[in-house]
C-alpha cells in the first residue's frame, strides 16, 4: 500500500536515512524498531510528506508520489499520530476534527462531524464524546481523537509514533483491539515503538533500523524479543530486574502532606518517604498530579501545604537551589521545556543547572558533554550541536547525563526511559540500580508499569492528585495497579 524506495535523507552532519526501503501491505501492522537516532521518525516524516527525501521516492499503491506536505499526504490517505498531540485544548472533539478540513464550512459541519465521530468510534472501538472539550479528556481519549481525526479524513495508512507510552495497560489493550480492527478492514498500520513485548504482540512484520539503515526485516512469527533486541543494538541486552539486596537505610526524602499546584497539575496531601538504598515508584497515568508533586519537592513551585525534608534539611518552599544544595537532582518529564534549552548546544545544556557562571566553566562543560556522548552513546555530530537537532531519545540521554552527573543523594526521575531504545534503557536502569546500591534515594515517577514493577522496592499509585495505593514492588500485580491508576478500587 505504501512504500519507501531507496530513500536517503541527511541533516547537517547526519545521514538520517540511507538507502532505506520499507513497505507495508494492506491489512498489515508493520513495526519500525531501532535505537535512538536510528532514523525512524525521519522515515515516518518522509512517508507522511513532512520531509522530502534527498534521494529515492515514496510509492502509494505501486505508483510514485511526491508528497509535498502532511496535508497533501492526508489527502492521499496517509495519516500520522504524533507522540505529542496537536489538538486545541479549549475546543471540543468535533471542533478539533473539523479544524483544518478545508472542504468544510467549519460551523455547519460540526453537527455532521459529531455524528461521524460517534460512528467511527463505534466501528473501531474508539469511544469519545464529540462534544467534550479536549482539556476534559484523559491522554488516552485525546489519542483516540487524533486517530479518529485521521480516519475521518479517510486515512488508509496510519503511522503511530510511540503511541503506547502514554497509556495504561488497559488502554493499550483497547488501542491494540482498534489497530486489529483497522487492519482487518484492509488498512495499513505502521507502529513505532521501543517496547519489544508490544511489537511482538501487535505486528505482523518488523523492520529494524540502525544508524539510518535498514538492518533487518522479519515476520514476527519468525523472531523473538531477544533476537529483535540484538538486531537493534548489535549485541545481547539484559533487561531483567535487579532489586535491592540490602535493607534500606535512613530516610533521605521525606514528604508530609504535600499540597501543590503547577501548570495544570495538582496534588493534595501526599506523604512519601524514600530511604537510602531504595527506589520508590510513583505509578500513574500522566496528568494525575505527578508534575505538581515533583516540582513541589524540587522547590520549583511553592507548597500550598505540607513539608519536604531532603537529607535532614527542611527545604519546604525554599526554592530549587536550596533543594539542590540539600542533595536533590531532578530529571523532569518535560525534556524541552523545564529540562533543556533546545536551542543551546549539548555542552551549554550541561551547564544549565550549575551555580558557577556560564563562561567560567565552558571548557569543563565541553569535556563533560564529550564524556556523556561516549558513555550514553548519544548520536550527534558533536558537543556543539543544539539539542533540538537530536532525536527524541538522544535528548533524554543528555538530560540524564547532566542530572546523574551531579552525584545526587536524592534523585527524582520522571519517565527516565520514555522513548529510549533497549540499549539505553538497559544503561539507565543499571545506572539507577548502581545509585541505589551506593545508598542514594530514588523517586521514580513513571507511567510504564513494567518499569515501575521491575525497579521499585515500594510503589505508590497516584490518581487525580492523591496517593491512592501503596504496595511492595516485589510481585506487584499489573491489573490491580492498572485499575488503581484508572481510579477504580480493587
Ligand atoms: N530536523 C533535524 N535537523 C537535524 N538533525 C535531525 C533532524 N531530524 C532528525 N535529525 C537527526 O537525524 C537522526 C535520526 O533521527 P530520528 O528522529 O529519525 O531518529 P529516531 O529513530 O526517531 O530516534 P528516537 O527513537 O530517539 O526518536 C538523528 O541523529 C537526529 O539527530
Ligand atoms: Mg523518533
Amino acid at each position: 500500500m505504501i512504500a519507501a524506495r531507496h530513500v536517503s535523507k541527511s541533516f547537517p552532519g547526519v545521514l538520517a536515512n540511507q538507502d532505506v526501503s520499507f513497505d507495508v501491505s494492506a491489512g498489515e501492522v508493520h513495526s519500525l524498531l531501532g535505537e535512538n537516532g536510528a532514523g525512524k521518525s525521519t522515515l515516518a516524516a518522509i512517508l507522511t510528506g513532512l520531509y522530502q527525501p534527498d534521494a529515492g521516492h515514496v510509492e502509494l499503491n505501486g505508483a510514485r508520489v511526491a508528497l509535498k506536505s502532511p496535508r497533501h499526504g492526508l489527502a492521499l490517505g496517509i495519516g500520522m499520530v504524533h507522540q505529542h498531540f496537536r489538538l486545541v485544548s479549549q475546543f471540543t472533539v468535533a471542533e478539533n476534527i473539523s479544524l483544518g478540513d478545508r472542504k468544510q464550512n467549519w460551523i455547519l459541519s460540526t453537527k455532521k462531524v459529531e455524528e461521524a465521530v460517534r460512528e467511527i468510534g463505534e466501528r473501531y472501538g474508539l469511544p469519545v464524546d464529540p462534544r467534550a472539550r479536549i482539556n476534559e479528556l484523559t491522554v488516552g481519549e485525546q489519542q483516540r481523537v487524533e486517530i479518529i481525526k485521521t480516519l475521518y479524513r479517510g486515512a488508509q495508512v496510519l503511522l503511530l509514533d510511540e503511541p503506547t507510552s502514554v497509556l495504561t495497560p488497559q488502554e493499550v489493550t483497547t488501542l491494540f483491539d482498534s489497530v486489529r480492527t483497522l487492519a482487518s478492514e484492509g488498512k495499513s498500520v505502521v507502529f513505532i515503538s521501543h517496547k519489544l513485548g508490544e511489537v511482538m504482540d501487535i505486528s505482523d512484520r518488523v523492520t529494524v533500523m540502525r544508524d539510518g539503515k535498514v538492518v533487518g526485516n522479519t515476520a514476527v512469527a519468525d523472531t523473538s524479543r531477544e533476537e529483535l533486541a540484538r538486531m537493534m543494538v548489535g549485541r545481547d541486552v539484559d533487561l531483567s530486574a535487579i532489586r535491592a539486596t540490602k535493607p534500606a537505610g535512613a530516610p533521605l526524602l521525606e514528604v508530609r502532606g504535600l499540597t501543590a499546584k503547577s501548570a495544570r497539575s495538582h496534588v493534595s496531601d501526599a506523604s512519601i518517604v524514600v530511604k537510602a538504598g531504595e527506589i520508590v515508584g510513583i505509578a500513574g497515568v500522566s496528568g494525575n498530579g505527578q508534575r505538581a508533586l515533583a516540582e513541589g519537592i524540587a522547590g520549583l513551585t511553592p507548597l500550598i501545604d505540607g513539608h519536604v525534608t531532603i537529607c535532614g534539611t527542611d527545604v519546604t518552599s525554599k526554592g530549587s537551589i536550596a533543594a539542590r544544595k540539600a542533595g536533590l537532582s531532578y530529571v523532569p518529564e518535560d525534556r524541552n521545556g523545564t529540562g533543556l534549552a533546545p536551542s543551546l548546544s549539548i555542552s551549554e545544556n550541561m551547564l544549565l543547572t550549575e551555580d558557577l557562571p556560564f563562561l567560567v566553566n565552558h571548557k569543563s562543560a565541553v569535556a563533560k558533554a564529550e564524556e556523556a556522548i561516549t558513555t550514553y552513546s548519544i548520536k550527534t555530530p558533536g558537543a556543539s550541536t543544539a539539542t533540538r537537532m537530536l532525536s527524541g531519545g538522544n535528548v533524554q540521554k543528555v538530560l540524564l547525563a547532566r542530572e546523574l552527573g551531579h552525584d545526587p543523594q536524592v534523585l527524582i526521575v520522571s519517565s527516565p526511559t520514555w522513548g529510549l531504545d533497549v540499549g539505553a534503557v538497559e544503561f539507565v536502569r543499571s545506572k539507577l540500580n548502581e545509585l541505589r546500591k551506593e545508598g542514594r534515594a530514588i523517586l521514580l515517577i513513571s507511567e510504564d508499569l513494567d518499569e515501575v514493577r521491575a525497579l521499585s522496592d515500594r510503589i505508590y499509585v497516584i490518581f487525580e492528585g492523591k496517593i491512592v495505593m501503596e504496595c511492595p514492588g516485589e510481585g506487584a500485580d499489573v491489573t490491580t495497579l492498572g485499575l488503581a491508576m484508572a481510579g477504580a478500587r480493587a
Side-chain angles (χ1 to χ4, degrees):
M1 191 172 255
I2 190 165
R5 303 276 182 225
H6 304 288
V7 158
S8 292
K9 176 80 187 169
S10 58
F11 298 108
V14 184
L15 255 168
N17 278 183
Q18 275 182 72
D19 195 25
V20 170
S21 290
F22 171 79
D23 59 73
V24 192
S25 316
E28 186 186 43
V29 181
H30 195 145
S31 284
L32 205 47
L33 257 181
E35 286 188 284
N36 297 127
K40 306 176 296 291
S41 294
T42 303
L43 178 60
I46 288 170
L47 290 172
T48 49
L50 183 64
Y51 293 155
Q52 282 72 48
D54 301 335
H57 65 268
V58 174
E59 279 175 14
L60 202 58
N61 295 311
R64 192 174 166 144
V65 283
L67 301 170
K68 291 190 217 64
S69 64
R71 183 184 291 280
H72 183 203
L74 194 50
L76 296 176
I78 309 158
M80 169 122 185
V81 175
H82 294 269
Q83 176 88 52
H84 298 285
F85 305 144
R86 297 166 177 205
L87 300 168
V88 184
S89 61
Q90 290 85 351
F91 283 11
T92 67
V93 170
E95 284 164 353
N96 266 280
I97 288 171
S98 31
L99 202 68
D101 187 357
R102 283 183 181 165
K103 283 179 293 196
Q104 301 277 349
N105 173 314
W106 196 63
I107 293 170
L108 288 181
S109 72
T110 305
K111 256 216 135 58
K112 217 187 91 198
V113 175
E114 283 177 4
E115 208 35 59
V117 169
R118 281 199 196 90
E119 248 169 57
I120 296 172
E122 245 162 62
R123 183 151 149 210
Y124 299 105
L126 301 161
V128 57
D129 174 5
R131 295 200 176 168
R133 271 174 218 294
I134 299 299
N135 56 23
E136 299 165 351
L137 302 181
T138 65
V139 183
E141 287 170 323
Q142 293 182 26
Q143 182 178 67
R144 280 180 221 154
V145 176
E146 288 280 16
I147 298 175
I148 292 170
K149 199 164 110 187
T150 63
L151 294 174
Y152 174 76
R153 308 263 178 84
Q156 291 300 314
V157 179
L158 207 62
L159 294 100
L160 307 171
D161 200 349
E162 298 192 42
T164 60
S165 52
V166 293
L167 304 179
T168 61
Q170 283 87 354
E171 285 174 318
V172 171
T173 310
T174 316
L175 172 70
F176 282 9
D177 286 342
S178 306
V179 166
R180 287 190 189 101
T181 311
L182 289 163
S184 73
E185 285 194 357
K187 296 191 197 307
S188 307
V189 180
V190 177
F191 182 75
I192 301 178
S193 172
H194 287 289
K195 297 185 187 170
L196 297 173
E198 291 178 354
V199 166
M200 293 296 293
D201 188 11
I202 192 70
S203 9
D204 302 300
R205 259 198 305 159
V206 184
T207 290
V208 182
M209 291 182 75
R210 197 190 318 153
D211 286 332
K213 290 185 225 115
V214 171
V215 293
N217 176 299
T218 170
V220 155
D222 302 333
T223 188
S224 64
R225 289 166 71 136
E226 291 71 25
E227 194 188 14
L228 289 175
R230 210 177 305 127
M231 266 204 233
M232 273 172 73
V233 290
R235 62 175 170 85
D236 284 326
V237 178
D238 178 15
L239 293 174
S240 59
I242 323 139
R243 232 177 279 278
T245 43
K246 293 191 281 198
L252 294 186
L253 174 66
E254 296 172 81
V255 178
R256 304 260 169 245
L258 186 149
T259 300
K261 262 195 182 122
S262 160
R264 260 204 261 107
S265 184
H266 177 258
V267 61
S268 67
D269 197 22
S271 294
I272 288 161
V273 174
V274 190
K275 297 177 187 152
E278 220 184 15
I279 297 183
V280 169
I282 303 279
V285 177
S286 92
N288 274 284
Q290 293 94 327
R291 182 163 179 175
L293 174 67
E295 295 194 346
I297 298 173
L300 292 163
T301 188
L303 302 193
I304 294 165
D305 202 3
H307 291 276
V308 178
T309 308
I310 293 169
C311 302
T313 309
D314 185 338
V315 296
T316 310
S317 297
K318 296 227 170 85
S320 62
I321 295 173
R324 222 164 235 291
K325 287 215 165 110
L328 180 86
S329 258
Y330 171 40
V331 178
E333 171 180 43
D334 174 15
R335 328 266 189 245
N336 280 317
T338 44
L340 297 169
S343 53
L344 294 185
S345 70
I346 298 176
S347 56
E348 284 163 338
N349 267 293
M350 287 312 232
L351 280 180
L352 278 189
T353 49
E354 304 258 340
D355 323 330
L356 286 167
F358 215 67
L359 289 171
V360 176
N361 237 353
H362 188 69
K363 249 213 180 92
S364 88
V366 173
K368 268 188 202 163
E370 273 160 6
E371 192 193 320
I373 290 168
T374 317
T375 27
Y376 287 75
S377 328
I378 297 170
K379 290 238 163 72
T380 173
S384 60
T385 305
T387 54
R388 86 183 129 78
M389 300 296 192
L390 303 178
S391 77
N394 282 300
V395 168
Q396 168 67 343
K397 291 182 184 179
V398 172
L399 183 56
L400 276 166
R402 184 186 73 201
E403 292 302 312
L404 297 181
H406 286 303
D407 204 15
Q409 289 300 314
V410 180
L411 179 69
I412 304 178
V413 278
S414 197
S415 310
T417 60
W418 180 88
L420 294 186
D421 63 60
V422 283
V425 168
E426 180 193 44
F427 178 84
V428 170
R429 289 190 182 174
S430 67
K431 192 80 197 169
L432 293 177
N433 275 316
E434 206 177 285
L435 291 169
R436 162 164 59 192
K437 233 185 258 161
E438 290 168 5
R440 314 300 159 93
I442 298 160
L443 187 65
L444 167 70
I445 301 176
S446 178
E447 302 179 86
D448 182 343
L449 265 188
D450 292 337
E451 173 157 287
V452 170
R453 285 167 60 241
L455 291 173
S456 311
D457 303 302
R458 271 183 305 120
I459 299 173
Y460 295 95
V461 176
I462 192 167
F463 175 70
E464 290 188 343
K466 293 208 168 66
I467 303 287
V468 292
M469 185 180 151
E470 186 191 342
C471 67
E474 185 98 57
D477 176 57
V478 195
T479 315
T480 315
L481 287 172
L483 285 172
M485 281 164 72
R489 299 214 167 244

